[in-house]
């Protein structure tokens, strides 16, 4: 069809829009083209990209592709110009056989996002097949006594084309005895017959040879021919006749082998040999490769052998002949129509294409995962298919076009809960009994960085002894990420802050991969008792996620400070304590007090005092309180005592090894009248507080023992609860608690000691931490200011 358009540009645009609109079917948005069969390679079919509304520049990035059900590349698309063209030879007869409609169904698929278009390309028939006869020569036996207007059917020709190209016209060569008559059957097909117009005379014409030419209706016309050899038989003037001009038989497909189809019956009015009949089959149309029909020549019974398949052919025409045994023999003709009924003997077929795997766990609901097509070779209800999917999965099937479905995401995914799904697509037909088939789809869920690294606990406590070597390993942090691969690869870093005047990174560091924490310098308990900081764990995902954990590092004391003597009161010479004592004082009189402090803590700061014996002295006049440092007389003085007493007091802590300091006290013995009044007043005032202090310490000892006993019970219970938990690297478990009680009154006269296992990263953990409960709640100012008396 040719259009001549004389309108302007606006009119041409309107015509183009109408032509594009004509390509789409109502309801399904299906694109239609047509192409003649046998078209050459590269023949233009249609501008498919433009008709689908796709830009040429996006065809390659969106993975534009064309798929057909039978996977033959008959048509192809040029991705440069978006034109659909013929890629290989298209033979309509090979593709669709005798079907009146013949089309190629294409699926056009593009990604990002995934879209599917359905395109139907109708294959137009051309007159490329000439009509042909099954045999090059047909033989016809006719009795010379055949009356005028006798009909003799001939085997017709067939044309593989359809429509007007398959409309046949028969032409018989000129002769004086026969004319050609065309019989139109119920299925609109035609059959040529010879009609006798002039009586035959075998003695004059024993044989007649005719040429039957057949012409199809195509342009250009194609022809075929067959030689008809007519043999004139001598008098046997009655041909057998069937009791019906035609027979109809209905059979179900897949009938058993050797099943009887029909019993034919023909009769002959002649007698003798001319009456005896032999049955035969002249032709079966169409020819089947799976089954054949055989007739018993004596009984006329037709049986089937092989497999009767509805999907191959749904009907057969059997032309039968009954021939008598006369000389010459005569024949009668009839036709048997065998209709085949469909059984549900074909299971549905499921084809899964265009899998978009793996699926991101954050994929949106409605994302297309795969395209599924189903088919069934049966017909009617036996070929109607319903599809279903595995229950209780976050996917569903959505029908898109006839027997085409999309597998789409129905609900949100979580890879950490389930990383893959084994889906089963079940296709069932509606036959009785129903047949079904299944196809499996394995859907893997790809990880998305949606989980931050997590520590086992929000805070860790670490114990480290002071004076540690720089760079020693003190602890290991570990975080777990529920994601996989790069999203689960955790790196560690310090959360930088200031510790006093210095940066945190000058004290500790953390290994980025292992999480090991190192002390970069030697720690000093007297300078820093507690170092609290945070370690950050970050994964390698995009974007990265992270979390923090707090570490409390307690610096444990070591005995690295010797006792320090407090400065003597003003007026003492040479740093020694000088005291004047009256000879009249009795035993137990306090003459002086040695004061000392220790910068350490715990046992390391617990001081004791010892009086060094003088050389050659049998019995010392003085003694010193073990924990008080008070020097008092042991007896009354006599005349033999030296006037100047030189005392050495050894001050020792309880560390291991113990550190000491020595104090010198010079005591001068004078007569009672020579002692200054201030000294006597001080002596008098010291007696009262000393007695009061003894009473107070007794009560303190009882209270401290009670509190310490309660603490011991608590620690024992804690130890029992933790005994089943194995120690981890860098973690420090509690040691066995024990009580330490002293018999004398002192700064810490009654304390509780508890050992703590400290891990330094090398060697076995040791019990080096001891915590004390002091007898009196003394502050650091009390320790550093010895002038504050207990009585205050």
């Amino acid at each position: 069809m040719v259009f001549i358009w004389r309108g302007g540009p606006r009119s041409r645009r309107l015509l183009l829009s109408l032509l594009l609109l004509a390509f789409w079917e109502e309801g399904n948005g299906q694109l239609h083209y047509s192409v003649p069969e046998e078209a050459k390679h590269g023949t233009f079919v249609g501008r498919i990209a433009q008709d689908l509304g796709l830009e040429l520049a996006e065809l390659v990035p969106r993975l534009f592709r064309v798929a057909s059900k039978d996977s033959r590349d008959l048509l192809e698309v040029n991705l440069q110009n978006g034109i659909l063209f013929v890629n290989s030879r298209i033979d309509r007869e090979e593709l669709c056989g005798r079907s009146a409609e013949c089309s190629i169904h294409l699926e056009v698929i593009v990604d990002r996002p995934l879209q599917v278009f359905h395109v139907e390309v109708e294959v137009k028939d051309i007159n490329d097949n000439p009509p042909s006869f099954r045999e090059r020569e047909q033989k016809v036996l006719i009795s010379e006594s055949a009356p005028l207007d006798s009909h003799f059917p001939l085997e017709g020709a067939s044309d593989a084309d359809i429509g007007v190209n398959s409309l046949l016209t028969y032409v018989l060569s000129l002769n004086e005895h026969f004319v050609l008559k065309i019989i139109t059957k119920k299925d609109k097909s035609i059959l040529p017959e010879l009609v006798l117009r002039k009586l035959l005379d075998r003695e004059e014409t024993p044989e007649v040879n005719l040429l039957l030419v057949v012409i199809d209706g195509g342009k250009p016309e194609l022809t075929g021919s067959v030689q008809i050899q007519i043999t004139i038989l001598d008098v046997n003037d009655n041909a057998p006749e069937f009791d019906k001009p035609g027979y109809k038989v209905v059979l179900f497909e897949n009938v058993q082998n050797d099943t009887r189809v029909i019993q034919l019956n023909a009769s002959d009015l002649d007698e003798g040999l001319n009456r005896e009949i032999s049955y035969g089959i002249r032709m079966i149309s169409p020819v089947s490769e799976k089954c054949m029909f055989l007739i018993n020549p004596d009984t006329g019974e037709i049986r089937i052998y092989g497999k009767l398949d509805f999907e191959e052919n749904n009907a057969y025409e059997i032309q039968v002949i009954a021939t008598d045994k006369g000389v010459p023999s005569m024949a009668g003709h009839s036709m048997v129509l065998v209709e085949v009924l469909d059984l549900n003997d074909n299971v549905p077929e499921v084809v899964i294409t265009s899998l978009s795997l793996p699926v991101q766990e954050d994929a949106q609901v409605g994302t297309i995962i795969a395209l599924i097509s189903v088919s069934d070779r049966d017909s009617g209800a036996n070929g109607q298919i319903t599809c279903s999917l595995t229950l209780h999965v976050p996917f569903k099937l959505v029908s898109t076009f006839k027997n085409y479905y999309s597998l789409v995401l129905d609900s949100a995914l979580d890879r950490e809960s389930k990383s893959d799904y084994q889906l089963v697509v079940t296709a069932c037909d509606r036959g009785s009994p129903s047949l079904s088939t299944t196809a499996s789809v394995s859907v893997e869920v790809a990880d998305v960085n949606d989980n931050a690294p997590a520590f086992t606990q929000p805070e860790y406590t670490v114990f480290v002894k002071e004076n540690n070597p720089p760079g020693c390993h003190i602890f290991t942090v570990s975080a777990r990420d529920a994601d996989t691969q790069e999203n689960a690869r955790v790196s560690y870093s310090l959360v930088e802050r200031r510790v006093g005047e210095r940066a945190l990174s000058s004290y500790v560091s953390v290994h980025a991969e292992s999480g090991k924490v190192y002390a970069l310098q030697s720690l000093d308990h007297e300078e820093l008792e507690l170092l609290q900081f945070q370690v950050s764990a970050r994964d390698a995902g995009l974007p990265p996620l992270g979390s923090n954990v707090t570490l409390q590092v307690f610096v444990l004391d070591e005995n690295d400070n010797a006792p320090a003597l407090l400065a003597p009161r003003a007026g003492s010479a040479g740093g020694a304590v000088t005291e004047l004592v009256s000879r009249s004082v009795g035993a137990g009189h306090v003459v002086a007090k040695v004061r000392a402090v220790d910068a350490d803590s715990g046992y390391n700061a617990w001081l004791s005092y010892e009086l060094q014996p003088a050389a050659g002295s049998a019995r010392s006049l003085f003694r010193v309180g073990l924990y008080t440092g008070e020097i008092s007389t042991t007896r009354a003085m006599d005349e033999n005592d030296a006037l100047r007493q030189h005392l050495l007091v050894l001050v020792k802590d309880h560390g291991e090894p113990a550190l000491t300091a020595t104090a010198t006290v010079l005591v001068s013995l004078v007569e009672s009248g020579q002692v200054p009044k201030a000294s006597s007043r001080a002596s008098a005032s010291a007696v009262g507080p000393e007695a009061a202090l003894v009473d107070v310490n007794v009560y303190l000892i009882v209270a401290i023992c009670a509190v310490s006993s309660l603490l011991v019970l608590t620690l024992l219970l804690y130890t029992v609860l933790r005994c089943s938990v194995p120690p981890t690297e860098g973690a420090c478990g509690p040691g066995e608690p024990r009580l330490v009680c002293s018999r004398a009154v002192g700064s810490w006269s009654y304390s509780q000691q508890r050992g703590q296992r400290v891990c330094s990263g090398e060697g076995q953990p040791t019990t080096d931490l001891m915590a004390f409960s002091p007898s009196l709640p003394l502050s650091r100012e009390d320790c550093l200011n010895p002038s504050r008396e207990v009585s205050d």
Side-chain angles (χ1 to χ4, degrees):
M1 181 180 294
V2 179
F3 292 95
I4 300 177
W5 188 264
R6 302 184 183 276
R10 182 176 180 182
S11 300
R12 285 195 295 271
R13 287 195 298 269
L14 178 60
L15 175 60
L16 179 61
S17 301
L18 293 175
L19 290 175
L20 291 176
L21 182 62
F23 280 117
W24 298 86
E25 281 189 352
E26 181 179 355
N28 292 320
Q30 185 179 9
L31 197 60
H32 280 269
Y33 296 106
S34 63
V35 62
E37 64 171 332
E38 303 295 340
K40 295 181 180 180
H41 173 76
T43 300
F44 173 87
V45 178
R47 300 184 181 275
I48 188 170
Q50 178 180 339
D51 296 342
L52 292 176
L54 300 176
E55 297 294 334
L56 295 179
E58 66 180 354
L59 296 184
V60 174
R62 294 188 64 184
L63 303 180
F64 182 96
R65 56 195 182 278
V66 176
S68 60
K69 184 177 180 181
D70 56 4
S71 70
R72 289 186 293 177
D73 298 328
L74 300 178
L75 301 172
E76 191 56 73
V77 175
N78 187 331
L79 297 181
Q80 302 299 322
N81 53 26
I83 292 178
L84 181 66
F85 64 92
V86 176
N87 186 47
S88 59
R89 175 178 175 269
I90 302 176
D91 188 349
R92 186 193 181 283
E93 288 71 33
E94 178 183 353
L95 192 64
C96 301
R98 299 285 300 173
S99 176
E101 297 180 0
C102 183
S103 61
I104 301 173
H105 179 78
L106 302 177
E107 290 180 6
V108 179
I109 305 168
V110 292
D111 292 338
R112 304 171 187 164
L114 180 63
Q115 290 181 287
V116 182
F117 304 94
H118 297 277
V119 179
E120 292 283 343
V121 179
E122 183 182 1
V123 180
K124 297 289 188 179
D125 184 48
I126 64 172
N127 193 26
D128 60 336
N129 291 282
S132 61
F133 292 91
R134 188 170 62 91
E135 297 177 351
R136 299 177 60 182
E137 183 181 71
Q138 295 187 25
K139 295 182 178 181
V140 181
L141 302 177
I142 302 177
S143 173
E144 64 176 332
S145 62
L148 295 177
D149 292 329
S150 295
H151 291 243
F152 305 96
L154 301 175
E155 179 181 348
S158 61
D159 195 323
D161 296 321
I162 62 169
V164 67
N165 294 328
S166 65
L167 296 179
L168 303 180
T169 301
Y170 292 90
V171 178
L172 187 64
S173 60
L174 294 176
N175 66 92
E176 60 179 347
H177 294 94
F178 299 94
V179 295
L180 187 65
K181 182 178 180 181
I182 303 301
I183 303 298
T184 303
K185 298 187 292 184
K186 291 182 180 180
D187 60 354
K188 305 302 182 181
S189 62
I190 60 177
L191 187 68
E193 286 186 348
L194 293 178
V195 180
L196 185 62
R197 291 304 186 191
K198 181 181 179 181
L199 293 176
L200 299 171
D201 185 357
R202 180 184 176 280
E203 286 70 24
E204 181 181 353
T205 310
E207 187 177 277
V208 177
N209 291 304
L210 302 177
L211 179 65
L212 180 62
V213 178
V214 59
I215 306 170
D216 64 19
K219 290 184 180 180
E221 297 176 345
L222 300 178
T223 63
S225 63
V226 64
Q227 289 288 336
I228 301 177
Q229 182 182 12
I230 302 174
T231 302
I232 310 301
L233 304 178
D234 202 9
V235 178
N236 180 18
D237 53 347
N238 288 290
E241 292 184 0
F242 288 92
D243 53 3
K244 292 181 180 180
Y247 302 87
K248 181 178 180 180
V249 180
V250 178
L251 293 176
F252 282 102
E253 65 173 332
N254 299 331
V255 295
Q256 294 182 357
N257 200 27
D258 198 27
T259 297
R260 189 178 77 166
V261 178
I262 193 173
Q263 176 68 57
L264 300 178
N265 183 42
S267 59
D268 195 314
L269 297 178
D270 295 325
E271 294 182 352
L273 291 178
N274 294 333
R275 190 172 183 172
E276 295 181 7
I277 299 173
S278 176
Y279 298 91
I281 295 177
R282 291 191 60 213
M283 183 180 66
I284 301 175
S285 177
V287 178
S288 172
E289 296 180 356
K290 296 182 179 180
C291 71
M292 61 180 179
F293 298 90
L294 297 179
I295 190 170
N296 189 317
D298 297 326
T299 64
E301 181 183 68
I302 298 178
R303 290 183 175 271
I304 184 173
Y305 296 90
K307 181 180 180 181
L308 189 62
D309 189 0
F310 174 86
E311 286 71 40
E312 182 189 21
N313 292 302
N314 59 6
Y316 293 91
E317 287 185 358
I318 306 174
Q319 294 186 13
V320 294
I321 183 173
T323 306
D324 61 25
K325 295 182 179 180
V327 180
S329 62
M330 299 188 69
H333 304 272
S334 185
M335 191 267 293
V336 179
L337 175 63
V338 180
E339 289 188 1
V340 183
L341 300 183
D342 184 41
L343 288 177
N344 192 25
D345 60 340
N346 291 281
V347 297
E349 296 180 359
V350 180
V351 178
I352 300 175
T353 58
S354 301
L355 286 172
S356 299
L357 297 176
V359 182
Q360 297 290 329
E361 63 175 321
D362 62 347
Q364 297 294 323
V365 174
T367 299
I368 298 178
I369 309 301
L371 303 178
I372 301 173
S373 62
V374 294
S375 60
D376 195 316
R377 296 183 61 200
D378 295 320
S379 61
N382 297 332
Q384 296 178 4
I385 306 171
T386 57
C387 276
S388 61
L389 189 64
T390 307
L391 298 177
H392 310 300
V393 293
F395 304 93
K396 66 178 179 180
L397 290 177
V398 177
S399 178
T400 58
F401 177 78
K402 292 181 180 178
N403 288 335
Y404 291 86
Y405 296 85
S406 294
L407 178 63
V408 301
L409 184 62
D410 189 38
S411 60
L413 299 174
D414 184 11
R415 190 206 64 82
E416 288 69 42
S417 300
K418 193 172 181 61
S419 60
D420 61 85
Y421 294 86
Q422 298 298 326
L423 307 181
V424 177
V425 179
T426 304
C428 299
D429 60 28
R430 297 184 180 179
S432 181
S434 177
L435 299 179
S436 64
T437 188
T438 60
S440 298
V441 183
S442 180
V443 179
E444 180 183 356
V445 182
D447 184 48
V448 173
N449 192 26
D450 56 350
N451 290 279
F455 293 93
T456 56
Q457 58 190 64
E459 184 177 285
Y460 295 95
T461 301
V462 182
F463 299 93
V464 180
K465 292 199 299 185
E466 67 173 333
N467 301 323
N468 59 284
C472 72
H473 170 222
I474 62 174
F475 194 67
T476 299
V477 294
S478 178
R480 180 184 177 275
D481 197 311
D483 296 320
T484 61
Q485 296 179 354
E486 290 299 311
N487 297 332
R489 186 163 58 86
V490 180
S491 60
Y492 303 91
S493 62
L494 287 177
V495 179
E496 188 61 70
R497 70 178 185 88
R498 304 293 295 179
V499 180
E501 298 298 325
R502 301 171 61 180
L504 173 65
S505 57
S506 66
Y507 287 96
V508 292
S509 68
V510 61
H511 193 275
E513 295 181 0
S514 65
K516 290 185 177 182
V517 181
Y518 298 92
L520 299 181
Q521 65 180 27
S522 180
L523 301 177
D524 188 358
H525 172 80
E526 288 72 39
E527 176 187 346
L528 184 66
E529 295 183 3
L530 172 62
L531 179 61
Q532 182 171 305
F533 58 92
Q534 287 187 328
V535 176
S536 174
R538 292 287 183 273
D539 58 31
L542 291 176
L545 301 178
S547 61
N548 296 340
V549 67
T550 300
L551 268 69
Q552 295 190 43
V553 178
F554 288 91
V555 182
L556 305 180
D557 183 51
E558 284 191 332
N559 193 26
D560 57 347
N561 292 281
L565 297 173
L566 297 179
R569 63 178 179 269
S572 299
V577 178
T578 303
E579 296 290 345
L580 298 179
V581 180
S582 174
R583 282 180 175 274
S584 61
V585 297
H589 177 75
V590 177
V591 298
K593 185 173 183 177
V594 178
R595 292 179 175 86
V597 295
D598 196 314
D600 295 320
S601 61
Y603 267 104
N604 299 328
W606 189 13
L607 303 181
S608 62
Y609 302 85
E610 296 179 8
L611 186 62
Q612 297 295 315
S617 176
R619 181 184 179 191
S620 176
L621 177 60
F622 301 95
R623 66 181 178 186
V624 64
L626 180 60
Y627 297 109
T628 62
E630 293 179 345
I631 301 174
S632 59
T633 57
T634 60
R635 57 180 173 82
M637 300 182 188
D638 55 28
E639 301 239 347
N640 296 326
D641 293 326
L643 294 179
R644 290 181 64 84
Q645 299 285 335
H646 187 275
L647 305 179
L648 292 178
V649 179
L650 181 66
V651 184
K652 181 172 63 175
D653 59 27
H654 286 71
E656 292 183 3
L659 301 179
T660 62
T662 303
T664 302
V665 179
L666 299 177
V667 178
S668 298
L669 303 180
V670 297
E671 298 299 330
S672 59
Q674 297 178 355
V675 178
K677 294 182 180 180
S679 175
S680 63
R681 287 195 300 269
S683 176
S685 62
V687 175
E690 180 180 352
L693 182 61
V694 172
D695 294 337
V696 171
N697 286 338
V698 171
Y699 291 110
L700 287 176
I701 290 174
V702 174
I704 290 174
C705 286
V707 173
S708 300
S709 299
L710 181 60
L711 180 59
V712 168
L713 292 176
T714 303
L715 293 176
L716 287 174
L717 178 60
Y718 176 78
T719 303
V720 170
L721 294 177
R722 291 291 301 270
C723 66
S724 61
V725 180
T728 59
E729 181 185 0
C732 302
E736 180 182 359
R738 52 181 177 171
L739 290 178
V740 177
C741 298
S742 65
R743 298 182 180 178
V745 178
S747 299
W748 282 293
S749 60
Y750 182 83
S751 302
Q752 176 174 336
Q753 175 190 0
R754 180 186 173 197
Q756 183 72 29
R757 300 173 72 237
V758 178
C759 302
S760 64
E762 296 180 2
Q764 297 295 327
T766 59
T767 305
D768 291 313
L769 174 63
M770 293 175 289
F772 294 91
S773 299
S775 59
L776 288 176
L778 298 178
S779 65
R780 187 173 183 85
E781 290 77 5
D782 295 329
C783 296
L784 298 178
N785 188 5
S787 61
R788 298 178 60 183
E789 297 294 341
V790 177
S791 60
D792 294 339

